[in-house]
């Protein structure tokens, strides 16, 4: 019997990627049946659909619950007290930022239109807005927001940053930049041509982008959401898109999954991806590295990374 027990979901990808670790007994548990051990040092719930199953951890003693996402809104309703939970900071930021910038480029340069034309064999030149020289407002300046800023650095945009509280801090390039506070949002929106949302979901941010916020944006502004769907009041965004005044590129929606008959699907000025932000080939190796660091920290009697609840 090894001196350390790690439980992984039955998803074969993570199990194959992590391989064998000296002194670590790896068991499979999706938190939907009896616990395989009475004590598990680190429990890694399934990436999808794991939130309601967290109540099952009460069946075992554990040192850490290692979540596979950055976002953890709503978990406190299901996670029994006394169990530290770490999120997956360091795993998804790069891939999510890639998609955010990709969605912005695709929407700005009309790629959905050109793809539709190509399927019909139609050669039709049309001028679309550049990403260069646009005023970009990044809302949410944690790991994802900073990663988006870093990837926009070569596109010659004019970047404004906004987070919950105003501050000056260093970006990933080591430069000191100003971050506006949430109370300045409506003052900044009229000059925003590309709005990128990377905020976590909370009571404060739920429905933050409603009819009033959208009305403050200039005509033809682009709304990119890679944060959480309920940051946006969907009906209010649909109204603006239907009127043709705004455009949207959404990796997250409310509701989610987006029903096949939802009006967002049929709007030509909306580009939708199915919450694919962190789902790239970078995820598994980074998740494995994080789990390995957490094991090393616990074995050394040190505090694990990324504790967000119960710590």
């Amino acid at each position: 019997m090894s001196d350390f027990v790690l439980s992984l979901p039955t998803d074969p990808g993570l199990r194959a990627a992590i391989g064998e670790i000296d002194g670590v007994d790896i068991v499979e548990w999706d938190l939907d049946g009896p616990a395989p051990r009475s004590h598990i040092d680190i429990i890694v719930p399934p990436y999808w659909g794991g939130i309601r199953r967290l109540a099952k951890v009460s069946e075992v003693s554990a040192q850490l619950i290692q979540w596979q996402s950055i976002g953890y809104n709503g978990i406190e309703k299901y996670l029994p007290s006394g169990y530290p939970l770490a999120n997956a900071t360091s795993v998804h930021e790069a891939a999510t930022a890639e998609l955010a910038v990709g969605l912005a480029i695709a929407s700005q340069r009309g790629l959905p239109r050109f793809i539709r034309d190509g399927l019909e064999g139609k050669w039709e030149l049309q001028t679309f807005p550049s990403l260069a020289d646009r005023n970009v407002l990044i809302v949410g300046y944690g790991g994802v927001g900073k990663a988006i800023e870093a990837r926009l650095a070569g596109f010659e945009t004019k970047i404004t940053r906004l987070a919950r509280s105003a501050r000056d801090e260093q970006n990933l390039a080591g430069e000191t930049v100003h971050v506006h506070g949430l109370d300045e949002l409506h003052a900044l929106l009229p000059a925003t041509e590309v709005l990128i949302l990377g905020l976590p979901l909370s009571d404060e941010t739920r429905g933050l982008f409603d009819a009033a916020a959208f009305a403050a944006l200039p005509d033809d502004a682009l709304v990119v959401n890679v944060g959480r769907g309920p940051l946006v009041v969907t009906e209010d965004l649909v109204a603006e898109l239907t009127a043709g005044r705004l455009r949207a590129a959404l990796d997250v929606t409310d509701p989610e999954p987006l029903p096949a008959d939802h009006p967002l699907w049929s709007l030509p000025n909306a580009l939708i991806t199915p919450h694919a932000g962190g789902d790239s080939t970078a995820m598994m190796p980074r998740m494995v590295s994080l789990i390995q660091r957490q094991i090393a920290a616990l074995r050394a009697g040190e505090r694990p990374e990324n504790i967000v609840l119960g710590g």
Side-chain angles (χ1 to χ4, degrees):
M1 183 72 68
S2 301
D3 65 352
F4 197 100
V5 181
L6 166 70
S7 80
L8 298 176
T10 56
D11 169 20
L14 183 57
R15 180 66 188 89
I18 206 164
E20 302 299 325
I21 304 172
D22 288 344
V24 176
D25 193 9
I26 301 175
V27 298
E28 292 187 352
W29 189 30
D30 279 333
L31 281 73
D32 60 357
R37 300 287 174 82
S38 60
H39 174 79
I40 300 173
D41 292 282
I42 298 179
I43 299 171
V44 182
Y47 184 44
W48 294 111
I51 186 168
R52 294 180 183 274
R53 303 180 192 179
L54 286 172
K56 292 283 288 184
V57 306
S58 64
E59 296 180 5
V60 302
S61 58
Q63 294 194 70
L64 181 69
I65 315 301
Q66 178 59 63
W67 200 234
Q68 293 193 67
S69 298
I70 298 175
Y72 55 94
N73 52 288
I75 284 180
E76 63 279 358
K77 293 186 224 175
Y78 303 99
L79 181 68
S81 62
Y83 290 85
L85 181 133
N87 75 350
T89 294
S90 78
V91 173
H92 301 287
E93 290 87 342
T96 303
E98 285 175 354
L99 185 61
V101 175
L103 288 171
I105 294 170
S107 296
Q108 288 295 100
R109 297 307 308 271
L111 295 190
R113 165 67 183 273
F114 290 137
I115 290 169
R116 288 194 295 269
D117 285 353
L119 292 172
E120 299 176 12
K122 185 192 302 182
W123 181 289
E124 185 175 312
L125 179 62
Q126 183 173 340
T127 300
F128 287 92
S130 66
L131 187 57
D133 302 331
R134 301 284 70 80
N135 292 320
V136 178
L137 177 61
I138 300 173
V139 181
Y141 200 64
V144 171
K146 288 182 178 180
I148 291 169
E149 177 190 32
R151 282 151 184 79
L152 284 173
F155 288 94
E156 302 178 32
T157 59
K158 304 167 188 176
I159 295 176
T160 302
R161 308 151 195 86
L162 185 143
R164 181 176 179 180
S165 56
R167 57 187 183 269
D168 291 330
E169 66 174 275
Q170 284 195 336
N171 62 15
L172 294 184
E175 304 161 332
T176 299
V177 297
H178 182 66
V179 182
H180 296 268
L182 207 53
D183 58 342
E184 301 174 78
L185 174 63
H186 282 258
L188 295 171
L189 289 174
T192 298
E193 296 167 290
V194 178
L195 173 66
I196 302 181
L197 311 182
L199 281 169
L201 184 64
S202 67
D203 290 342
E204 185 179 18
T205 61
R206 184 181 296 274
L208 185 64
F209 294 90
D210 56 8
F214 293 134
L217 288 167
D219 290 352
D220 205 39
L222 171 66
V223 178
V224 179
N225 190 3
V226 294
R228 286 292 182 265
L231 296 173
V232 168
V233 178
T234 302
E235 293 78 8
D236 295 346
L237 178 59
V238 167
E240 290 280 11
L241 297 175
T242 302
R245 203 183 72 79
L246 299 179
R247 297 170 295 126
L250 310 172
D251 185 48
V252 290
T253 59
D254 184 23
E256 193 174 295
L258 196 64
D261 60 352
H262 197 280
L264 276 172
W265 288 118
S266 62
L267 291 166
N269 50 356
L271 173 58
I272 312 293
T273 54
H275 202 148
D279 242 344
S280 78
T281 54
M283 176 184 169
M284 210 60 75
R286 290 176 181 229
M287 194 68 218
V288 168
S289 293
L290 175 58
I291 292 170
Q292 290 171 335
R293 295 196 304 273
Q294 303 291 51
I295 291 170
L298 290 174
R299 281 176 149 176
E302 299 171 354
R303 180 180 173 84
E305 299 176 27
N306 307 339
I307 299 293
V308 292
L309 290 173

